[in-house]
Amino acid sequence: MTSGESALARSGADMICSVAKHMARGKFISFEGLDGCGKSTQLEKLAGALRRQGIDVVTTREPGGTELGERIRAVLLSSRTAGLDPHAEMALMFASRAQLIADVVLPALEAGKWVVCDRFTDSTEAYQGGGRQLGGEGVLRLHEVLCGGVWPDLTILMDSEVSSSVSRARRRNKSAEQDENRFEKESGAFFTRVHETFLEIARREPQRVVLIDARPPIEVVHEEIVRVVKERFLLMI
Ligand SMILES: Nc1ncnc2c1ncn2[C@@H]1O[C@H](COP(=O)(O)OP(=O)(O)OP(=O)(O)O)[C@@H](O)[C@H]1O
Ligand SMILES: [Mg+2]
């Protein structure tokens, strides 16, 4: 074999290897939307549908999903956390995310598992960028630096009315054991900015972000999400 032929054979083998690696990588799906819009409900239902098809699914959430992340979550969401600077809030969101990517997301995807995550960087752009008015640009720059270009293959953005979602979340939080009430104390204007920022992200990234009407009954929303996931990943579910 000449050196040219062996280089060609090597590059062919590398290509097959990288295709095999690519094929084996799992899919990364995030759920986004306002508090109380039904993300966690739909995430569990989608994970169940995927598992019934034999897909190995890891479900996780933000902030949280790791031991460190859950401790950060408790600080971020507790109504007892007072005087948290908006930039400190944004930094903590990214600290939790960086740990989640390293410990959970990348290892699972590399092992061929699917990762379904309750909120990701779009929430930081919507809540800290839009809601707290820190701007989206800084969020995207931090993502680039701290998250190494890791983005979901598909983001389900659950669209709902501001007032009904927030009142659902308040009702749910009242009956929950943990105190995760800090954001629910924000104003209607805050949540309107969050909502508008989510919609801007969907307009900006139509390939990744699919808008789902979250207002119909749970089963109807689930069927629509399954339809989108099936279509996107050519599955038989
Ligand atoms: N389509 C729906 N119609 C009516 N009620 C719903 C629907 N989806 C979810 N709910 C109810 O609304 C409440 C909030 O749902 P869920 O916890 O899934 O929302 P969430 O988006 O995860 O909220 P959070 O952002 O606060 O975690 C729950 O009590 C849930 O049962
Ligand atoms: Mg939830």
Side-chain angles (χ1 to χ4, degrees):
M1 207 186 273
T2 66
S3 67
E5 281 168 343
S6 74
L8 204 64
R10 245 196 342 269
S11 77
D14 288 350
M15 216 159 85
I16 290 165
C17 231
S18 84
V19 169
K21 247 191 204 160
H22 181 70
M23 282 166 65
R25 184 185 177 272
K27 301 293 178 200
F28 181 18
I29 301 175
S30 64
F31 276 78
E32 296 284 4
L34 287 168
D35 305 57
C37 69
K39 295 178 296 302
S40 306
T41 306
Q42 293 298 334
L43 179 149
E44 286 307 325
K45 289 183 75 68
L46 176 65
L50 293 171
R51 285 182 184 125
R52 281 193 293 280
Q53 296 307 308
I55 296 173
D56 206 342
V57 182
V58 173
T59 60
T60 189
R61 66 176 183 178
E62 283 208 351
T66 63
E67 208 184 316
L68 173 78
E70 290 297 323
R71 281 155 69 187
I72 294 174
R73 181 184 179 95
V75 171
L76 280 167
L77 302 190
S78 167
S79 60
R80 286 174 307 160
T81 300
L84 186 61
D85 177 80
H87 287 99
E89 181 180 273
M90 181 153 89
L92 286 172
M93 292 291 181
F94 270 107
S96 170
R97 181 166 307 131
Q99 195 72 35
L100 184 76
I101 288 172
D103 288 359
V104 177
V105 177
L106 290 180
L109 292 177
E110 277 157 21
K113 297 176 187 170
W114 287 37
V115 177
V116 188
C117 190
D118 202 331
R119 296 189 182 280
F120 198 61
T121 298
D122 297 326
S123 277
T124 312
E125 187 173 346
Y127 284 74
Q128 282 69 49
R132 301 258 187 252
Q133 298 179 292
L134 298 181
E137 204 186 302
V139 174
L140 296 177
R141 273 176 23 218
L142 279 174
H143 182 96
E144 192 59 36
V145 172
L146 302 172
C147 304
V150 175
W151 284 100
D153 298 295
L154 171 69
T155 295
I156 307 282
L157 173 55
M158 297 188 51
D159 191 31
S160 58
E161 278 138 20
V162 171
S163 56
S164 61
S165 305
V166 175
S167 56
R168 254 199 226 160
R170 284 182 182 145
R171 260 201 313 277
R172 200 266 332 273
N173 286 346
K174 234 180 229 160
S175 60
E177 274 172 30
Q178 314 94 312
D179 164 12
E180 295 197 337
N181 304 324
R182 199 169 68 88
F183 280 92
E184 77 169 35
K185 297 187 190 322
E186 294 298 332
S187 64
F190 174 90
F191 285 110
T192 300
R193 287 195 296 275
V194 172
H195 185 225
E196 280 167 4
T197 310
F198 272 135
L199 295 178
E200 274 167 34
I201 298 169
R203 280 194 292 272
R204 188 183 72 209
E205 292 188 60
Q207 291 301 318
R208 173 175 65 87
V209 183
V210 175
L211 203 62
I212 296 277
D213 184 357
R215 294 166 301 177
I218 290 173
E219 277 312 316
V220 175
V221 178
H222 173 62
E223 276 168 29
E224 181 60 8
I225 291 172
V226 167
R227 192 189 63 75
V228 166
V229 170
K230 243 161 95 171
E231 196 179 278
R232 177 62 59 109
F233 301 118
L234 304 171
L235 293 173
M236 304 304 289
I237 54 173

mmCIF file of all heavy atoms in Angstrom, residues 88-119:
data_model
loop_
_atom_site.group_PDB
_atom_site.id
_atom_site.type_symbol
_atom_site.label_atom_id
_atom_site.label_comp_id
_atom_site.label_asym_id
_atom_site.label_seq_id
_atom_site.Cartn_x
_atom_site.Cartn_y
_atom_site.Cartn_z
ATOM 1 N N ALA A 88 -25.557 37.211 40.360
ATOM 2 C CA ALA A 88 -25.203 36.039 41.180
ATOM 3 C C ALA A 88 -26.193 34.914 40.877
ATOM 4 O O ALA A 88 -25.809 33.736 40.763
ATOM 5 C CB ALA A 88 -25.242 36.399 42.660
ATOM 6 N N GLU A 89 -27.462 35.288 40.706
ATOM 7 C CA GLU A 89 -28.494 34.297 40.369
ATOM 8 C C GLU A 89 -28.146 33.603 39.041
ATOM 9 O O GLU A 89 -28.191 32.371 38.938
ATOM 10 C CB GLU A 89 -29.839 35.019 40.264
ATOM 11 C CG GLU A 89 -31.006 34.117 39.943
ATOM 12 C CD GLU A 89 -32.287 34.920 39.854
ATOM 13 O OE1 GLU A 89 -32.931 35.118 40.905
ATOM 14 O OE2 GLU A 89 -32.662 35.364 38.740
ATOM 15 N N MET A 90 -27.759 34.422 38.053
ATOM 16 C CA MET A 90 -27.417 33.861 36.737
ATOM 17 C C MET A 90 -26.188 32.953 36.843
ATOM 18 O O MET A 90 -26.142 31.875 36.238
ATOM 19 C CB MET A 90 -27.149 35.002 35.749
ATOM 20 C CG MET A 90 -26.814 34.563 34.370
ATOM 21 S SD MET A 90 -27.281 35.797 33.162
ATOM 22 C CE MET A 90 -25.813 36.793 33.090
ATOM 23 N N ALA A 91 -25.197 33.386 37.622
ATOM 24 C CA ALA A 91 -23.974 32.589 37.779
ATOM 25 C C ALA A 91 -24.284 31.249 38.441
ATOM 26 O O ALA A 91 -23.728 30.211 38.062
ATOM 27 C CB ALA A 91 -22.945 33.371 38.594
ATOM 28 N N LEU A 92 -25.170 31.260 39.420
ATOM 29 C CA LEU A 92 -25.531 29.997 40.101
ATOM 30 C C LEU A 92 -26.260 29.059 39.136
ATOM 31 O O LEU A 92 -26.066 27.837 39.180
ATOM 32 C CB LEU A 92 -26.395 30.280 41.336
ATOM 33 C CG LEU A 92 -25.641 30.870 42.542
ATOM 34 C CD1 LEU A 92 -26.613 31.300 43.635
ATOM 35 C CD2 LEU A 92 -24.652 29.845 43.106
ATOM 36 N N MET A 93 -27.120 29.620 38.282
ATOM 37 C CA MET A 93 -27.805 28.787 37.278
ATOM 38 C C MET A 93 -26.766 28.080 36.400
ATOM 39 O O MET A 93 -26.878 26.887 36.121
ATOM 40 C CB MET A 93 -28.720 29.644 36.389
ATOM 41 C CG MET A 93 -29.913 30.233 37.094
ATOM 42 S SD MET A 93 -31.109 28.956 37.559
ATOM 43 C CE MET A 93 -32.393 29.972 38.318
ATOM 44 N N PHE A 94 -25.740 28.829 35.990
ATOM 45 C CA PHE A 94 -24.724 28.235 35.124
ATOM 46 C C PHE A 94 -23.813 27.266 35.886
ATOM 47 O O PHE A 94 -23.324 26.295 35.306
ATOM 48 C CB PHE A 94 -23.900 29.317 34.414
ATOM 49 C CG PHE A 94 -24.513 29.712 33.102
ATOM 50 C CD1 PHE A 94 -25.144 30.938 32.959
ATOM 51 C CD2 PHE A 94 -24.493 28.849 32.016
ATOM 52 C CE1 PHE A 94 -25.731 31.300 31.750
ATOM 53 C CE2 PHE A 94 -25.075 29.205 30.809
ATOM 54 C CZ PHE A 94 -25.695 30.431 30.670
ATOM 55 N N ALA A 95 -23.580 27.536 37.161
ATOM 56 C CA ALA A 95 -22.758 26.603 37.952
ATOM 57 C C ALA A 95 -23.458 25.247 38.018
ATOM 58 O O ALA A 95 -22.845 24.193 37.817
ATOM 59 C CB ALA A 95 -22.530 27.165 39.355
ATOM 60 N N SER A 96 -24.757 25.280 38.284
ATOM 61 C CA SER A 96 -25.539 24.041 38.333
ATOM 62 C C SER A 96 -25.505 23.339 36.971
ATOM 63 O O SER A 96 -25.335 22.119 36.877
ATOM 64 C CB SER A 96 -26.983 24.365 38.739
ATOM 65 O OG SER A 96 -27.796 23.236 38.577
ATOM 66 N N ARG A 97 -25.640 24.135 35.899
ATOM 67 C CA ARG A 97 -25.692 23.560 34.540
ATOM 68 C C ARG A 97 -24.360 22.926 34.154
ATOM 69 O O ARG A 97 -24.343 21.836 33.565
ATOM 70 C CB ARG A 97 -26.092 24.667 33.551
ATOM 71 C CG ARG A 97 -26.206 24.231 32.102
ATOM 72 C CD ARG A 97 -26.923 25.301 31.285
ATOM 73 N NE ARG A 97 -28.187 25.627 31.921
ATOM 74 C CZ ARG A 97 -28.603 26.865 32.169
ATOM 75 N NH1 ARG A 97 -27.880 27.906 31.822
ATOM 76 N NH2 ARG A 97 -29.762 27.068 32.783
ATOM 77 N N ALA A 98 -23.260 23.604 34.465
ATOM 78 C CA ALA A 98 -21.944 23.068 34.090
ATOM 79 C C ALA A 98 -21.719 21.709 34.752
ATOM 80 O O ALA A 98 -21.207 20.766 34.143
ATOM 81 C CB ALA A 98 -20.848 24.055 34.493
ATOM 82 N N GLN A 99 -22.130 21.613 36.017
ATOM 83 C CA GLN A 99 -21.977 20.345 36.749
ATOM 84 C C GLN A 99 -22.871 19.256 36.136
ATOM 85 O O GLN A 99 -22.465 18.096 36.006
ATOM 86 C CB GLN A 99 -22.336 20.565 38.228
ATOM 87 C CG GLN A 99 -21.892 19.461 39.142
ATOM 88 C CD GLN A 99 -20.382 19.438 39.348
ATOM 89 O OE1 GLN A 99 -19.751 20.481 39.376
ATOM 90 N NE2 GLN A 99 -19.814 18.260 39.479
ATOM 91 N N LEU A 100 -24.086 19.655 35.763
ATOM 92 C CA LEU A 100 -25.025 18.690 35.169
ATOM 93 C C LEU A 100 -24.497 18.165 33.833
ATOM 94 O O LEU A 100 -24.590 16.966 33.543
ATOM 95 C CB LEU A 100 -26.398 19.370 34.956
ATOM 96 C CG LEU A 100 -27.499 18.448 34.443
ATOM 97 C CD1 LEU A 100 -28.013 17.547 35.567
ATOM 98 C CD2 LEU A 100 -28.663 19.242 33.864
ATOM 99 N N ILE A 101 -23.948 19.062 33.033
ATOM 100 C CA ILE A 101 -23.419 18.650 31.724
ATOM 101 C C ILE A 101 -22.277 17.642 31.928
ATOM 102 O O ILE A 101 -22.236 16.605 31.273
ATOM 103 C CB ILE A 101 -22.959 19.885 30.913
ATOM 104 C CG1 ILE A 101 -24.187 20.677 30.434
ATOM 105 C CG2 ILE A 101 -22.100 19.468 29.713
ATOM 106 C CD1 ILE A 101 -23.858 22.008 29.802
ATOM 107 N N ALA A 102 -21.377 17.990 32.865
ATOM 108 C CA ALA A 102 -20.209 17.116 33.081
ATOM 109 C C ALA A 102 -20.601 15.776 33.689
ATOM 110 O O ALA A 102 -20.102 14.732 33.276
ATOM 111 C CB ALA A 102 -19.204 17.828 33.990
ATOM 112 N N ASP A 103 -21.500 15.797 34.665
ATOM 113 C CA ASP A 103 -21.793 14.563 35.416
ATOM 114 C C ASP A 103 -22.905 13.713 34.807
ATOM 115 O O ASP A 103 -22.931 12.507 35.006
ATOM 116 C CB ASP A 103 -22.236 14.911 36.853
ATOM 117 C CG ASP A 103 -21.087 15.412 37.698
ATOM 118 O OD1 ASP A 103 -19.960 15.475 37.182
ATOM 119 O OD2 ASP A 103 -21.329 15.757 38.876
ATOM 120 N N VAL A 104 -23.855 14.360 34.145
ATOM 121 C CA VAL A 104 -25.048 13.622 33.707
ATOM 122 C C VAL A 104 -25.230 13.650 32.183
ATOM 123 O O VAL A 104 -25.317 12.598 31.553
ATOM 124 C CB VAL A 104 -26.324 14.202 34.399
ATOM 125 C CG1 VAL A 104 -27.588 13.497 33.901
ATOM 126 C CG2 VAL A 104 -26.200 14.107 35.915
ATOM 127 N N VAL A 105 -25.283 14.845 31.602
ATOM 128 C CA VAL A 105 -25.703 14.960 30.198
ATOM 129 C C VAL A 105 -24.700 14.282 29.256
ATOM 130 O O VAL A 105 -25.075 13.384 28.492
ATOM 131 C CB VAL A 105 -25.921 16.449 29.798
ATOM 132 C CG1 VAL A 105 -26.290 16.559 28.317
ATOM 133 C CG2 VAL A 105 -26.992 17.081 30.673
ATOM 134 N N LEU A 106 -23.441 14.699 29.306
ATOM 135 C CA LEU A 106 -22.475 14.145 28.345
ATOM 136 C C LEU A 106 -22.233 12.647 28.552
ATOM 137 O O LEU A 106 -22.257 11.888 27.581
ATOM 138 C CB LEU A 106 -21.162 14.938 28.364
ATOM 139 C CG LEU A 106 -21.275 16.359 27.779
ATOM 140 C CD1 LEU A 106 -19.937 17.066 27.829
ATOM 141 C CD2 LEU A 106 -21.818 16.333 26.348
ATOM 142 N N PRO A 107 -22.043 12.185 29.818
ATOM 143 C CA PRO A 107 -21.844 10.730 29.973
ATOM 144 C C PRO A 107 -23.036 9.927 29.439
ATOM 145 O O PRO A 107 -22.846 8.886 28.789
ATOM 146 C CB PRO A 107 -21.685 10.542 31.492
ATOM 147 C CG PRO A 107 -21.216 11.876 31.988
ATOM 148 C CD PRO A 107 -21.853 12.900 31.094
ATOM 149 N N ALA A 108 -24.252 10.404 29.674
ATOM 150 C CA ALA A 108 -25.429 9.658 29.210
ATOM 151 C C ALA A 108 -25.491 9.651 27.679
ATOM 152 O O ALA A 108 -25.683 8.597 27.067
ATOM 153 C CB ALA A 108 -26.710 10.265 29.788
ATOM 154 N N LEU A 109 -25.299 10.819 27.066
ATOM 155 C CA LEU A 109 -25.377 10.882 25.597
ATOM 156 C C LEU A 109 -24.297 9.999 24.963
ATOM 157 O O LEU A 109 -24.561 9.298 23.984
ATOM 158 C CB LEU A 109 -25.216 12.330 25.111
ATOM 159 C CG LEU A 109 -26.361 13.286 25.467
ATOM 160 C CD1 LEU A 109 -26.022 14.695 24.981
ATOM 161 C CD2 LEU A 109 -27.700 12.837 24.869
ATOM 162 N N GLU A 110 -23.117 10.045 25.550
ATOM 163 C CA GLU A 110 -22.020 9.230 24.995
ATOM 164 C C GLU A 110 -22.289 7.738 25.146
ATOM 165 O O GLU A 110 -21.837 6.928 24.348
ATOM 166 C CB GLU A 110 -20.689 9.626 25.641
ATOM 167 C CG GLU A 110 -20.108 10.855 24.942
ATOM 168 C CD GLU A 110 -19.136 11.643 25.799
ATOM 169 O OE1 GLU A 110 -18.602 11.071 26.763
ATOM 170 O OE2 GLU A 110 -18.925 12.836 25.503
ATOM 171 N N ALA A 111 -23.058 7.376 26.177
ATOM 172 C CA ALA A 111 -23.409 5.961 26.372
ATOM 173 C C ALA A 111 -24.639 5.572 25.537
ATOM 174 O O ALA A 111 -25.179 4.476 25.693
ATOM 175 C CB ALA A 111 -23.669 5.697 27.853
ATOM 176 N N GLY A 112 -25.088 6.481 24.686
ATOM 177 C CA GLY A 112 -26.221 6.185 23.809
ATOM 178 C C GLY A 112 -27.582 6.387 24.456
ATOM 179 O O GLY A 112 -28.612 6.036 23.875
ATOM 180 N N LYS A 113 -27.589 6.937 25.680
ATOM 181 C CA LYS A 113 -28.881 7.167 26.348
ATOM 182 C C LYS A 113 -29.476 8.503 25.896
ATOM 183 O O LYS A 113 -28.742 9.378 25.458
ATOM 184 C CB LYS A 113 -28.679 7.209 27.867
ATOM 185 C CG LYS A 113 -28.176 5.902 28.421
ATOM 186 C CD LYS A 113 -27.896 6.024 29.892
ATOM 187 C CE LYS A 113 -27.230 4.738 30.368
ATOM 188 N NZ LYS A 113 -26.714 4.852 31.726
ATOM 189 N N TRP A 114 -30.779 8.617 26.060
ATOM 190 C CA TRP A 114 -31.429 9.883 25.763
ATOM 191 C C TRP A 114 -31.545 10.670 27.075
ATOM 192 O O TRP A 114 -31.793 10.072 28.132
ATOM 193 C CB TRP A 114 -32.833 9.659 25.185
ATOM 194 C CG TRP A 114 -32.832 9.149 23.777
ATOM 195 C CD1 TRP A 114 -31.946 8.254 23.216
ATOM 196 C CD2 TRP A 114 -33.765 9.491 22.742
ATOM 197 N NE1 TRP A 114 -32.283 8.022 21.910
ATOM 198 C CE2 TRP A 114 -33.380 8.757 21.594
ATOM 199 C CE3 TRP A 114 -34.880 10.318 22.672
ATOM 200 C CZ2 TRP A 114 -34.081 8.854 20.400
ATOM 201 C CZ3 TRP A 114 -35.583 10.417 21.489
ATOM 202 C CH2 TRP A 114 -35.178 9.689 20.349
ATOM 203 N N VAL A 115 -31.348 11.965 26.971
ATOM 204 C CA VAL A 115 -31.471 12.820 28.147
ATOM 205 C C VAL A 115 -32.665 13.753 27.943
ATOM 206 O O VAL A 115 -32.752 14.437 26.922
ATOM 207 C CB VAL A 115 -30.191 13.660 28.365
ATOM 208 C CG1 VAL A 115 -30.356 14.597 29.554
ATOM 209 C CG2 VAL A 115 -28.980 12.742 28.563
ATOM 210 N N VAL A 116 -33.583 13.725 28.906
ATOM 211 C CA VAL A 116 -34.725 14.636 28.842
ATOM 212 C C VAL A 116 -34.639 15.542 30.065
ATOM 213 O O VAL A 116 -34.694 15.077 31.204
ATOM 214 C CB VAL A 116 -36.059 13.859 28.807
ATOM 215 C CG1 VAL A 116 -37.208 14.830 28.537
ATOM 216 C CG2 VAL A 116 -36.035 12.781 27.731
ATOM 217 N N CYS A 117 -34.468 16.824 29.795
ATOM 218 C CA CYS A 117 -34.133 17.761 30.871
ATOM 219 C C CYS A 117 -35.231 18.815 31.063
ATOM 220 O O CYS A 117 -35.671 19.437 30.101
ATOM 221 C CB CYS A 117 -32.800 18.430 30.534
ATOM 222 S SG CYS A 117 -32.124 19.378 31.878
ATOM 223 N N ASP A 118 -35.622 18.993 32.318
ATOM 224 C CA ASP A 118 -36.632 19.976 32.696
ATOM 225 C C ASP A 118 -35.925 21.323 32.829
ATOM 226 O O ASP A 118 -35.240 21.550 33.823
ATOM 227 C CB ASP A 118 -37.202 19.527 34.065
ATOM 228 C CG ASP A 118 -38.568 20.083 34.350
ATOM 229 O OD1 ASP A 118 -38.873 21.179 33.855
ATOM 230 O OD2 ASP A 118 -39.323 19.418 35.099
ATOM 231 N N ARG A 119 -36.033 22.172 31.826
ATOM 232 C CA ARG A 119 -35.367 23.486 31.702
ATOM 233 C C ARG A 119 -33.893 23.326 31.338
ATOM 234 O O ARG A 119 -33.237 22.356 31.728
ATOM 235 C CB ARG A 119 -35.458 24.315 32.982
ATOM 236 C CG ARG A 119 -36.870 24.710 33.396
ATOM 237 C CD ARG A 119 -36.803 25.713 34.536
ATOM 238 N NE ARG A 119 -38.109 26.131 35.043
ATOM 239 C CZ ARG A 119 -38.898 27.033 34.478
ATOM 240 N NH1 ARG A 119 -38.541 27.619 33.374
ATOM 241 N NH2 ARG A 119 -40.065 27.362 35.035
#
